[in-house]
Amino acid sequence: SMVGLSDGGNAVVLTHNPDDPCRPSVRRLPEDTKVIQPADASFEGEDIDLGTDSSLSIVMAEGIDAEPFLFTPDEGIAREETANRVLTLAEEQAAM
């Protein structure tokens, strides 16, 4: 998945973080790259573990503002509830 970072950069999610789903490991895209195809996933870039780097966060996911859906594990929001919220928003945006 393509994500936008809080510092204005873009990245691709590398691995899921089951302990904190909103803070996966990502690879930063080169500055001049806006879109990447799955076949091009071997690009060079800085790998960032958002689970340990609290200076960055995801603010966009696949072109959708992610901030309303971000949570921390201690907030107790179930993953299924969050997934349903994301799907509902995506469906609403697609219907526009």
Side-chain angles (χ1 to χ4, degrees), residues 3-16:
V3 295
L5 300 175
S6 56
D7 68 355
N10 293 306
V12 173
V13 174
L14 296 176
T15 59
H16 176 68

Side-chain angles (χ1 to χ4, degrees), residues 8 14 16 18 22 35 43 45 48-49 54-55 59 61 70 73-74 76 83 90:
L14 296 176
H16 176 68
C22 295
V35 177
F43 65 91
I48 305 165
D49 181 353
S54 61
S55 69
V59 296
L70 298 179
D74 60 320

Side-chain angles (χ1 to χ4, degrees), residues 16-95:
H16 176 68
N17 178 351
D19 295 326
D20 195 349
C22 295
R23 302 196 62 78
S25 292
V26 300
R27 178 169 294 155
R28 184 182 294 278
L29 291 171
E31 280 188 42
D32 58 344
T33 306
K34 298 295 179 200
V35 177
I36 191 161
Q37 301 300 319
D40 299 331
S42 62
F43 65 91
E44 302 240 348
E46 174 189 8
D47 289 354
I48 305 165
D49 181 353
L50 297 176
T52 59
D53 184 345
S54 61
S55 69
L56 290 173
S57 62
I58 292 173
V59 296
M60 296 286 288
E62 298 295 339
I64 297 173
D65 180 6
E67 290 186 277
F69 305 103
L70 298 179
F71 63 93
T72 59
D74 60 320
E75 289 176 316
I77 298 176
R79 288 184 213 155
E80 293 82 9
E81 180 182 334
T82 300
N84 288 336
R85 290 168 58 194
V86 170
L87 288 173
T88 300
L89 179 62
E91 290 170 353
E92 288 171 359
Q93 289 186 351

